[in-house]
mmCIF file of all heavy atoms in Angstrom:
data_model
loop_
_atom_site.group_PDB
_atom_site.id
_atom_site.type_symbol
_atom_site.label_atom_id
_atom_site.label_comp_id
_atom_site.label_asym_id
_atom_site.label_seq_id
_atom_site.Cartn_x
_atom_site.Cartn_y
_atom_site.Cartn_z
ATOM 1 N N VAL A 1188 152.600 73.772 120.187
ATOM 2 C CA VAL A 1188 152.737 75.030 119.457
ATOM 3 C C VAL A 1188 151.825 74.972 118.236
ATOM 4 O O VAL A 1188 151.045 75.967 117.909
ATOM 5 C CB VAL A 1188 154.174 75.372 119.141
ATOM 6 C CG1 VAL A 1188 154.322 76.478 118.073
ATOM 7 C CG2 VAL A 1188 154.994 75.715 120.313
ATOM 8 N N VAL A 1189 151.869 73.916 117.486
ATOM 9 C CA VAL A 1189 151.022 73.690 116.315
ATOM 10 C C VAL A 1189 149.549 73.813 116.606
ATOM 11 O O VAL A 1189 148.799 74.448 115.989
ATOM 12 C CB VAL A 1189 151.434 72.452 115.560
ATOM 13 C CG1 VAL A 1189 150.378 72.084 114.382
ATOM 14 C CG2 VAL A 1189 152.806 72.575 114.939
ATOM 15 N N ILE A 1190 149.134 73.106 117.641
ATOM 16 C CA ILE A 1190 147.717 73.095 118.010
ATOM 17 C C ILE A 1190 147.366 74.512 118.434
ATOM 18 O O ILE A 1190 146.235 74.968 118.061
ATOM 19 C CB ILE A 1190 147.490 72.074 119.143
ATOM 20 C CG1 ILE A 1190 147.629 70.652 118.580
ATOM 21 C CG2 ILE A 1190 146.086 72.305 119.789
ATOM 22 C CD1 ILE A 1190 147.627 69.547 119.625
ATOM 23 N N ALA A 1191 148.152 75.157 119.273
ATOM 24 C CA ALA A 1191 147.829 76.552 119.737
ATOM 25 C C ALA A 1191 147.711 77.499 118.533
ATOM 26 O O ALA A 1191 146.823 78.296 118.412
ATOM 27 C CB ALA A 1191 148.839 77.060 120.697
ATOM 28 N N GLY A 1192 148.606 77.269 117.580
ATOM 29 C CA GLY A 1192 148.656 78.181 116.309
ATOM 30 C C GLY A 1192 147.381 77.985 115.517
ATOM 31 O O GLY A 1192 146.840 78.932 115.081
ATOM 32 N N VAL A 1193 147.018 76.715 115.322
ATOM 33 C CA VAL A 1193 145.791 76.371 114.559
ATOM 34 C C VAL A 1193 144.591 76.895 115.289
ATOM 35 O O VAL A 1193 143.683 77.549 114.703
ATOM 36 C CB VAL A 1193 145.637 74.900 114.294
ATOM 37 C CG1 VAL A 1193 144.264 74.559 113.788
ATOM 38 C CG2 VAL A 1193 146.732 74.412 113.417
ATOM 39 N N PHE A 1194 144.503 76.824 116.563
ATOM 40 C CA PHE A 1194 143.397 77.333 117.397
ATOM 41 C C PHE A 1194 143.295 78.879 117.199
ATOM 42 O O PHE A 1194 142.221 79.483 117.012
ATOM 43 C CB PHE A 1194 143.507 76.875 118.849
ATOM 44 C CG PHE A 1194 142.400 77.566 119.665
ATOM 45 C CD1 PHE A 1194 141.178 76.994 119.658
ATOM 46 C CD2 PHE A 1194 142.696 78.684 120.538
ATOM 47 C CE1 PHE A 1194 140.115 77.572 120.408
ATOM 48 C CE2 PHE A 1194 141.682 79.137 121.257
ATOM 49 C CZ PHE A 1194 140.399 78.666 121.287
ATOM 50 N N TRP A 1195 144.441 79.538 117.394
ATOM 51 C CA TRP A 1195 144.455 80.943 117.352
ATOM 52 C C TRP A 1195 144.096 81.465 116.000
ATOM 53 O O TRP A 1195 143.343 82.375 115.778
ATOM 54 C CB TRP A 1195 145.890 81.508 117.698
ATOM 55 C CG TRP A 1195 145.983 83.002 117.682
ATOM 56 C CD1 TRP A 1195 145.493 83.843 118.576
ATOM 57 C CD2 TRP A 1195 146.567 83.743 116.696
ATOM 58 N NE1 TRP A 1195 145.725 85.160 118.187
ATOM 59 C CE2 TRP A 1195 146.458 85.155 117.027
ATOM 60 C CE3 TRP A 1195 147.158 83.451 115.473
ATOM 61 C CZ2 TRP A 1195 146.906 86.124 116.290
ATOM 62 C CZ3 TRP A 1195 147.683 84.560 114.689
ATOM 63 C CH2 TRP A 1195 147.494 85.869 115.084
ATOM 64 N N LEU A 1196 144.584 80.844 114.892
ATOM 65 C CA LEU A 1196 144.246 81.234 113.490
ATOM 66 C C LEU A 1196 142.759 80.922 113.169
ATOM 67 O O LEU A 1196 142.123 81.762 112.489
ATOM 68 C CB LEU A 1196 145.174 80.553 112.506
ATOM 69 C CG LEU A 1196 146.619 81.029 112.456
ATOM 70 C CD1 LEU A 1196 147.409 80.148 111.444
ATOM 71 C CD2 LEU A 1196 146.667 82.475 112.012
ATOM 72 N N GLY A 1197 142.298 79.897 113.757
ATOM 73 C CA GLY A 1197 140.900 79.531 113.499
ATOM 74 C C GLY A 1197 139.960 80.555 114.257
ATOM 75 O O GLY A 1197 138.804 80.733 113.776
ATOM 76 N N SER A 1198 140.342 81.186 115.302
ATOM 77 C CA SER A 1198 139.404 82.074 115.983
ATOM 78 C C SER A 1198 139.436 83.419 115.432
ATOM 79 O O SER A 1198 138.623 84.294 115.769
ATOM 80 C CB SER A 1198 139.858 82.101 117.500
ATOM 81 O OG SER A 1198 141.080 82.770 117.675
ATOM 82 N N GLN A 1199 140.330 83.814 114.495
ATOM 83 C CA GLN A 1199 140.507 85.076 113.948
ATOM 84 C C GLN A 1199 139.627 85.145 112.659
ATOM 85 O O GLN A 1199 139.567 84.193 111.932
ATOM 86 C CB GLN A 1199 141.910 85.431 113.556
ATOM 87 C CG GLN A 1199 142.939 85.387 114.747
ATOM 88 C CD GLN A 1199 142.598 86.535 115.682
ATOM 89 O OE1 GLN A 1199 142.380 87.650 115.253
ATOM 90 N NE2 GLN A 1199 142.534 86.268 116.942
ATOM 91 N N PRO A 1200 138.859 86.284 112.385
ATOM 92 C CA PRO A 1200 138.109 86.348 111.249
ATOM 93 C C PRO A 1200 139.114 86.514 109.995
ATOM 94 O O PRO A 1200 139.941 87.216 109.958
ATOM 95 C CB PRO A 1200 137.276 87.694 111.368
ATOM 96 C CG PRO A 1200 138.016 88.437 112.423
ATOM 97 C CD PRO A 1200 138.721 87.504 113.281
ATOM 98 N N SER A 1201 138.869 85.578 109.073
ATOM 99 C CA SER A 1201 139.708 85.633 107.914
ATOM 100 C C SER A 1201 139.119 86.556 106.798
ATOM 101 O O SER A 1201 137.950 86.924 106.916
ATOM 102 C CB SER A 1201 139.871 84.167 107.267
ATOM 103 O OG SER A 1201 138.659 83.788 106.744
#
Side-chain angles (χ1 to χ4, degrees):
V1188 168
V1189 168
I1190 290 171
V1193 168
F1194 175 76
W1195 181 76
L1196 288 174
S1198 68
Q1199 299 296 315
S1201 69

